[in-house]
Amino acid sequence: MLESQLYYCPYCGEPAEALLDLSGGDQSYIEDCPVCCRPIQFELRTDGTEWELDVRGEND
């Protein structure tokens, strides 16, 4: 199951959208900001239905 979530880059503050695959369970991964290209750490916690996404800078 795919869901989308709006987030703000912790570096430049620009809005972006993350596509979340809830079928994979809890996940931790890094993606570059589509605007400033700096690495963002994503922490997804999910039970397959409900989810919580934490977005932070790489060294936070």
Side-chain angles (χ1 to χ4, degrees):
M1 176 198 280
L2 297 177
E3 294 286 342
S4 63
Q5 175 70 43
L6 179 67
Y7 70 91
Y8 293 90
C9 174
Y11 302 104
C12 68
E14 290 294 319
E17 190 172 26
L19 190 59
L20 310 174
D21 182 1
L22 303 183
S23 66
D26 293 346
Q27 302 168 37
S28 176
Y29 56 95
I30 295 175
E31 285 188 13
D32 291 340
C33 172
V35 177
C36 71
C37 299
R38 296 192 61 190
I40 302 171
Q41 177 74 39
F42 290 84
E43 295 280 340
L44 174 64
R45 290 174 292 285
T46 182
D47 62 6
T49 305
E50 305 276 328
W51 75 89
E52 180 180 339
L53 181 65
D54 181 37
V55 178
R56 63 182 184 273
E58 187 177 38
N59 296 319
D60 292 345

